[in-house]
Amino acid sequence: MASSLLALIDDIASVLDDVSVMTKVAAKKTAGVLGDDLALNAQQVTGVKADRELPVVWAVAKGSLRNKAILVPAALLISAFVPWLITPLLMLGGAFLCFEGFEKLAHRFMHQDAEAHARHIEALTDPKVDMASFEREKISGAVRTDFILSAEIIAITLGTVATASFTQQVTVLAGIALIMTIGVYGLVAAIVKLDDAGLALSETSSAALQSFGRGILAVAPWLMKSLSVIGTAAMFMVGGGILTHGLQAVHHFIENSAEHSLALPYVGALLAGLTPTLLNAGFGILAGGVVFAGVALGKRLFGKSGAV
């Protein structure tokens, strides 16, 4: 009996070791998406009242956990019964991200950002405005975007553990889902409360801490503006990357372009690293424009038919 117990413990330790190794590999592969997820969600949950920032982040984090609670079982079922469906679903998600990114650019260049900013100021200053409804819109938008990025994280992780046992697949997928959610929204919470931390430090008795706090207050607005730009760019990079990986001809063209860049003197290595990202983003902008035009045309056609 003792030998059987030791053998069982050894088997459990071996499984846990395999799970640990696969989790590390999956975490490395999804690190890029984690950065995009952070930028997008930090940008999307900003703009609410200071005392409501953390509750909104928590609400989005719970939405993210619900997303992953749906995606993990769905990914396992799809992988087991209809594995060919993974790529088309990912591409739909990628097209949606590109569309959202292009929509943001269109609003900016069509000067609709000013209208949105005016509505935002009204929401913050007018007591008649339903802040609960305003927050729900923010939360629903962030959770919707999180769903697409979470789907990519789960798909990448599933590819890492494709040959593992079912138990190991479940353990790794669940572990990555929790780690990514805690990591992203813990950092989002820290970012959106930077200004409060800077204000608290600036009011201490220590001159050094006061100076550090004022520095944080000076940097925080620029950081939030940067996250807005990075978040929009991330939509094109992630969405475009998903689409190009699903289109073999485009994917090979990007790989060949990166290889040819290596031949250039001095800047070859740098360009080889940047080329896939830039081409993916460019393809994402193009795809987003096509989807945006299609949606706009559909709205006009259905709007006219509805009016008749």
Side-chain angles (χ1 to χ4, degrees), residues 80-302:
F81 297 106
V82 280
W84 56 266
L85 194 57
I86 293 176
T87 298
L89 288 175
L90 276 176
M91 291 186 72
L92 282 174
F96 178 76
L97 274 180
C98 294
F99 164 73
E100 282 208 323
F102 197 90
E103 190 176 38
K104 287 179 181 291
L105 288 181
H107 286 177
R108 179 167 299 178
F109 287 111
M110 292 163 60
H111 306 294
Q112 293 182 12
D113 271 1
E115 298 174 12
H117 182 68
R119 289 195 301 270
H120 169 60
I121 295 299
E122 181 186 4
L124 291 177
T125 58
D126 189 350
K128 296 179 182 178
V129 173
D130 184 3
M131 283 302 298
S133 176
F134 179 74
E135 286 184 7
R136 282 196 297 271
E137 288 180 11
K138 278 281 188 182
I139 292 166
S140 63
V143 171
R144 188 171 61 245
T145 300
D146 174 273
F147 188 89
I148 306 300
L149 292 170
S150 294
E152 189 185 11
I153 289 171
I154 297 302
I156 292 171
T157 304
L158 188 62
T160 304
V161 297
T163 58
S165 67
F166 180 77
T167 301
Q168 289 175 331
Q169 287 183 353
V170 172
T171 305
V172 173
L173 283 169
I176 286 292
L178 286 173
I179 290 168
M180 291 300 178
T181 303
I182 293 170
V184 167
Y185 291 100
L187 287 171
V188 168
I191 289 170
V192 299
K193 299 307 289 184
L194 261 182
D195 51 352
D196 290 345
L199 182 61
L201 289 173
S202 67
E203 293 175 347
T204 60
S205 56
S206 169
L209 289 178
Q210 287 178 7
S211 178
F212 184 58
R214 287 192 294 270
I216 292 176
L217 288 172
V219 169
W222 291 99
L223 175 61
M224 300 317 297
K225 288 180 181 178
S226 299
L227 284 174
S228 177
V229 175
I230 293 169
T232 303
M235 288 182 172
F236 294 123
M237 288 187 289
V238 175
I242 294 172
L243 293 175
T244 58
H245 276 80
L247 300 170
Q248 290 300 315
V250 180
H251 182 59
H252 289 319
F253 170 77
I254 291 174
E255 285 187 333
N256 292 335
S257 298
E259 289 178 6
H260 291 317
S261 299
L262 280 172
L264 296 173
Y266 306 113
V267 294
L270 177 63
L271 282 178
L274 288 175
T275 296
T277 300
L278 294 175
L279 290 178
N280 283 335
F283 191 86
I285 294 172
L286 179 62
V290 171
V291 177
F292 181 82
V295 170
L297 180 61
K299 285 181 178 179
R300 287 189 177 185
L301 291 176
F302 286 112

